[in-house]
Short mmCIF file of all heavy atoms in Angstrom, two decimals:
data_model
loop_
_atom_site.label_atom_id
_atom_site.label_comp_id
_atom_site.label_asym_id
_atom_site.label_seq_id
_atom_site.Cartn_x
_atom_site.Cartn_y
_atom_site.Cartn_z
N ASP A 1 164.51 -0.11 -53.84
CA ASP A 1 163.57 0.86 -53.28
C ASP A 1 162.32 1.05 -54.12
O ASP A 1 161.44 1.83 -53.74
CB ASP A 1 164.26 2.23 -53.11
CG ASP A 1 165.41 2.14 -52.10
OD1 ASP A 1 165.26 1.37 -51.14
OD2 ASP A 1 166.41 2.84 -52.28
N CYS A 2 162.23 0.35 -55.25
CA CYS A 2 161.05 0.54 -56.09
C CYS A 2 159.84 -0.11 -55.42
O CYS A 2 159.97 -1.07 -54.65
CB CYS A 2 161.26 0.01 -57.50
SG CYS A 2 160.89 -1.73 -57.72
N ILE A 3 158.67 0.42 -55.68
CA ILE A 3 157.46 -0.01 -55.00
C ILE A 3 157.17 -1.49 -55.23
O ILE A 3 156.67 -2.19 -54.34
CB ILE A 3 156.25 0.86 -55.43
CG1 ILE A 3 155.03 0.53 -54.56
CG2 ILE A 3 155.95 0.68 -56.91
CD1 ILE A 3 153.89 1.50 -54.76
N PHE A 4 157.53 -2.01 -56.40
CA PHE A 4 157.28 -3.42 -56.70
C PHE A 4 158.17 -4.32 -55.85
O PHE A 4 157.72 -5.36 -55.36
CB PHE A 4 157.52 -3.70 -58.18
CG PHE A 4 156.58 -2.96 -59.08
CD1 PHE A 4 157.02 -1.89 -59.84
CD2 PHE A 4 155.25 -3.33 -59.16
CE1 PHE A 4 156.16 -1.20 -60.67
CE2 PHE A 4 154.37 -2.65 -60.00
CZ PHE A 4 154.83 -1.58 -60.75
N ALA A 5 159.42 -3.91 -55.67
CA ALA A 5 160.34 -4.70 -54.85
C ALA A 5 159.91 -4.69 -53.39
O ALA A 5 159.94 -5.72 -52.71
CB ALA A 5 161.76 -4.18 -54.99
N VAL A 6 159.51 -3.52 -52.90
CA VAL A 6 159.06 -3.40 -51.50
C VAL A 6 157.84 -4.27 -51.26
O VAL A 6 157.76 -5.01 -50.27
CB VAL A 6 158.76 -1.93 -51.16
CG1 VAL A 6 158.12 -1.83 -49.78
CG2 VAL A 6 160.04 -1.10 -51.21
N ASP A 7 156.87 -4.19 -52.17
CA ASP A 7 155.65 -4.99 -52.03
C ASP A 7 155.95 -6.49 -52.09
O ASP A 7 155.41 -7.27 -51.31
CB ASP A 7 154.66 -4.60 -53.13
CG ASP A 7 153.44 -5.50 -53.14
OD1 ASP A 7 152.60 -5.40 -52.23
OD2 ASP A 7 153.32 -6.32 -54.07
N LEU A 8 156.82 -6.87 -53.01
CA LEU A 8 157.17 -8.27 -53.17
C LEU A 8 157.82 -8.81 -51.90
O LEU A 8 157.47 -9.90 -51.42
CB LEU A 8 158.10 -8.45 -54.37
CG LEU A 8 158.53 -9.88 -54.71
CD1 LEU A 8 157.32 -10.75 -55.05
CD2 LEU A 8 159.51 -9.86 -55.89
N LYS A 9 158.75 -8.06 -51.36
CA LYS A 9 159.43 -8.49 -50.14
C LYS A 9 158.45 -8.66 -48.99
O LYS A 9 158.51 -9.63 -48.22
CB LYS A 9 160.51 -7.48 -49.76
CG LYS A 9 161.32 -7.90 -48.54
CD LYS A 9 162.40 -6.88 -48.22
CE LYS A 9 163.23 -7.32 -47.01
NZ LYS A 9 164.28 -6.33 -46.70
N GLU A 10 157.52 -7.71 -48.85
CA GLU A 10 156.54 -7.78 -47.77
C GLU A 10 155.66 -9.03 -47.90
O GLU A 10 155.35 -9.70 -46.91
CB GLU A 10 155.67 -6.53 -47.77
CG GLU A 10 156.40 -5.28 -47.30
CD GLU A 10 155.54 -4.04 -47.39
OE1 GLU A 10 154.42 -4.13 -47.97
OE2 GLU A 10 155.97 -2.97 -46.89
N ARG A 11 155.28 -9.35 -49.13
CA ARG A 11 154.42 -10.51 -49.34
C ARG A 11 155.15 -11.82 -49.04
O ARG A 11 154.56 -12.77 -48.52
CB ARG A 11 153.89 -10.53 -50.78
CG ARG A 11 152.85 -9.45 -51.04
CD ARG A 11 152.15 -9.63 -52.38
NE ARG A 11 152.99 -9.28 -53.51
CZ ARG A 11 153.26 -10.08 -54.52
NH1 ARG A 11 152.78 -11.33 -54.54
NH2 ARG A 11 154.02 -9.68 -55.52
N ILE A 12 156.44 -11.86 -49.36
CA ILE A 12 157.21 -13.09 -49.11
C ILE A 12 157.48 -13.26 -47.62
O ILE A 12 157.25 -14.33 -47.04
CB ILE A 12 158.54 -13.08 -49.89
CG1 ILE A 12 158.29 -13.04 -51.39
CG2 ILE A 12 159.37 -14.32 -49.53
CD1 ILE A 12 159.54 -12.78 -52.21
N THR A 13 157.98 -12.18 -47.00
CA THR A 13 158.41 -12.28 -45.59
C THR A 13 157.24 -12.39 -44.62
O THR A 13 157.44 -12.68 -43.44
CB THR A 13 159.28 -11.07 -45.21
OG1 THR A 13 158.56 -9.86 -45.49
CG2 THR A 13 160.58 -11.09 -46.00
N GLU A 14 156.04 -12.18 -45.11
CA GLU A 14 154.87 -12.34 -44.25
C GLU A 14 154.76 -13.77 -43.72
O GLU A 14 154.34 -13.99 -42.58
CB GLU A 14 153.60 -11.97 -45.03
CG GLU A 14 152.33 -12.01 -44.19
CD GLU A 14 151.12 -11.55 -44.97
OE1 GLU A 14 151.27 -11.07 -46.12
OE2 GLU A 14 150.00 -11.67 -44.43
N ASP A 15 155.17 -14.75 -44.54
CA ASP A 15 155.07 -16.16 -44.13
C ASP A 15 156.39 -16.92 -44.18
O ASP A 15 156.49 -18.01 -43.61
CB ASP A 15 154.04 -16.89 -45.02
CG ASP A 15 152.63 -16.37 -44.81
OD1 ASP A 15 152.17 -16.35 -43.66
OD2 ASP A 15 151.99 -15.98 -45.81
N ALA A 16 157.37 -16.38 -44.88
CA ALA A 16 158.65 -17.08 -44.99
C ALA A 16 159.36 -17.10 -43.64
O ALA A 16 159.25 -16.17 -42.84
CB ALA A 16 159.53 -16.41 -46.03
N LYS A 17 160.12 -18.15 -43.39
CA LYS A 17 160.86 -18.30 -42.15
C LYS A 17 162.32 -17.88 -42.37
O LYS A 17 162.81 -17.85 -43.51
CB LYS A 17 160.79 -19.75 -41.67
CG LYS A 17 159.38 -20.24 -41.40
CD LYS A 17 159.37 -21.64 -40.85
CE LYS A 17 157.94 -22.15 -40.67
NZ LYS A 17 157.12 -21.28 -39.82
N PRO A 18 163.04 -17.54 -41.27
CA PRO A 18 164.45 -17.13 -41.41
C PRO A 18 165.30 -18.13 -42.18
O PRO A 18 166.19 -17.73 -42.94
CB PRO A 18 164.90 -17.00 -39.94
CG PRO A 18 163.66 -16.65 -39.20
CD PRO A 18 162.57 -17.42 -39.89
N MET A 19 165.03 -19.41 -42.01
CA MET A 19 165.82 -20.42 -42.73
C MET A 19 165.59 -20.32 -44.24
O MET A 19 166.51 -20.55 -45.03
CB MET A 19 165.45 -21.83 -42.25
CG MET A 19 164.01 -22.23 -42.45
SD MET A 19 163.63 -23.90 -41.87
CE MET A 19 164.53 -24.89 -43.07
N HIS A 20 164.36 -19.95 -44.64
CA HIS A 20 164.08 -19.75 -46.07
C HIS A 20 164.90 -18.58 -46.61
O HIS A 20 165.50 -18.67 -47.69
CB HIS A 20 162.59 -19.46 -46.28
CG HIS A 20 161.69 -20.58 -45.92
ND1 HIS A 20 160.47 -20.39 -45.30
CD2 HIS A 20 161.82 -21.93 -46.08
CE1 HIS A 20 159.89 -21.56 -45.11
NE2 HIS A 20 160.69 -22.50 -45.57
N ILE A 21 164.92 -17.49 -45.85
CA ILE A 21 165.62 -16.28 -46.28
C ILE A 21 167.12 -16.55 -46.39
O ILE A 21 167.77 -16.14 -47.37
CB ILE A 21 165.37 -15.13 -45.29
CG1 ILE A 21 163.86 -14.90 -45.10
CG2 ILE A 21 166.06 -13.86 -45.78
CD1 ILE A 21 163.10 -14.58 -46.34
N HIS A 22 167.66 -17.22 -45.39
CA HIS A 22 169.10 -17.52 -45.38
C HIS A 22 169.49 -18.35 -46.59
O HIS A 22 170.47 -18.04 -47.29
CB HIS A 22 169.46 -18.26 -44.09
CG HIS A 22 170.90 -18.66 -44.02
ND1 HIS A 22 171.92 -17.76 -43.76
CD2 HIS A 22 171.51 -19.89 -44.20
CE1 HIS A 22 173.08 -18.40 -43.79
NE2 HIS A 22 172.86 -19.69 -44.05
N LYS A 23 168.75 -19.41 -46.85
CA LYS A 23 169.06 -20.27 -47.99
C LYS A 23 168.88 -19.53 -49.31
O LYS A 23 169.68 -19.69 -50.24
CB LYS A 23 168.17 -21.51 -47.97
CG LYS A 23 168.52 -22.52 -49.06
CD LYS A 23 167.71 -23.80 -48.92
CE LYS A 23 168.11 -24.82 -49.99
NZ LYS A 23 167.33 -26.08 -49.86
N ALA A 24 167.84 -18.70 -49.39
CA ALA A 24 167.57 -17.95 -50.63
C ALA A 24 168.71 -17.00 -50.96
O ALA A 24 169.10 -16.88 -52.13
CB ALA A 24 166.26 -17.17 -50.47
N LYS A 25 169.26 -16.34 -49.96
CA LYS A 25 170.37 -15.41 -50.20
C LYS A 25 171.59 -16.15 -50.73
O LYS A 25 172.29 -15.65 -51.62
CB LYS A 25 170.71 -14.67 -48.91
CG LYS A 25 169.66 -13.64 -48.50
CD LYS A 25 170.06 -12.93 -47.20
CE LYS A 25 169.04 -11.88 -46.82
NZ LYS A 25 169.40 -11.19 -45.55
N HIS A 26 171.83 -17.33 -50.18
CA HIS A 26 172.96 -18.14 -50.66
C HIS A 26 172.74 -18.56 -52.11
O HIS A 26 173.66 -18.46 -52.94
CB HIS A 26 173.10 -19.38 -49.77
CG HIS A 26 174.12 -20.36 -50.26
ND1 HIS A 26 175.49 -20.12 -50.20
CD2 HIS A 26 173.97 -21.59 -50.84
CE1 HIS A 26 176.13 -21.15 -50.73
NE2 HIS A 26 175.25 -22.05 -51.12
N LEU A 27 171.52 -18.99 -52.44
CA LEU A 27 171.22 -19.41 -53.81
C LEU A 27 171.30 -18.24 -54.79
O LEU A 27 171.70 -18.41 -55.94
CB LEU A 27 169.84 -20.06 -53.87
CG LEU A 27 169.70 -21.41 -53.16
CD1 LEU A 27 168.25 -21.89 -53.22
CD2 LEU A 27 170.62 -22.45 -53.81
N ALA A 28 170.91 -17.06 -54.33
CA ALA A 28 170.98 -15.86 -55.19
C ALA A 28 172.42 -15.56 -55.55
O ALA A 28 172.74 -15.21 -56.69
CB ALA A 28 170.33 -14.67 -54.49
N LYS A 29 173.33 -15.69 -54.58
CA LYS A 29 174.76 -15.46 -54.85
C LYS A 29 175.29 -16.49 -55.85
O LYS A 29 176.08 -16.16 -56.74
CB LYS A 29 175.55 -15.52 -53.55
CG LYS A 29 175.32 -14.32 -52.64
CD LYS A 29 176.14 -14.44 -51.36
CE LYS A 29 175.90 -13.25 -50.45
NZ LYS A 29 176.66 -13.37 -49.17
N GLU A 30 174.87 -17.74 -55.68
CA GLU A 30 175.28 -18.79 -56.62
C GLU A 30 174.79 -18.49 -58.03
O GLU A 30 175.52 -18.70 -59.01
CB GLU A 30 174.76 -20.15 -56.15
CG GLU A 30 175.49 -20.73 -54.97
CD GLU A 30 175.09 -22.17 -54.70
OE1 GLU A 30 174.04 -22.61 -55.25
OE2 GLU A 30 175.81 -22.86 -53.97
N PHE A 31 173.55 -18.03 -58.13
CA PHE A 31 172.97 -17.70 -59.43
C PHE A 31 173.78 -16.58 -60.09
O PHE A 31 174.09 -16.66 -61.29
CB PHE A 31 171.51 -17.27 -59.25
CG PHE A 31 170.76 -17.07 -60.54
CD1 PHE A 31 169.93 -18.08 -61.04
CD2 PHE A 31 170.87 -15.89 -61.26
CE1 PHE A 31 169.23 -17.90 -62.23
CE2 PHE A 31 170.18 -15.70 -62.45
CZ PHE A 31 169.35 -16.72 -62.93
N GLN A 32 174.12 -15.55 -59.31
CA GLN A 32 174.89 -14.44 -59.86
C GLN A 32 176.26 -14.88 -60.33
O GLN A 32 176.71 -14.45 -61.41
CB GLN A 32 175.03 -13.34 -58.80
CG GLN A 32 173.76 -12.52 -58.59
CD GLN A 32 173.99 -11.42 -57.58
OE1 GLN A 32 174.12 -11.65 -56.39
NE2 GLN A 32 174.03 -10.19 -58.06
#
């Protein structure tokens, strides 16, 4: 909920496609 996270998400999702988001979430889990 921090302003930096909200702004960052808006800037990414402005042009990112659903396939990018889906793959990114999977990679984030792998990283964790």
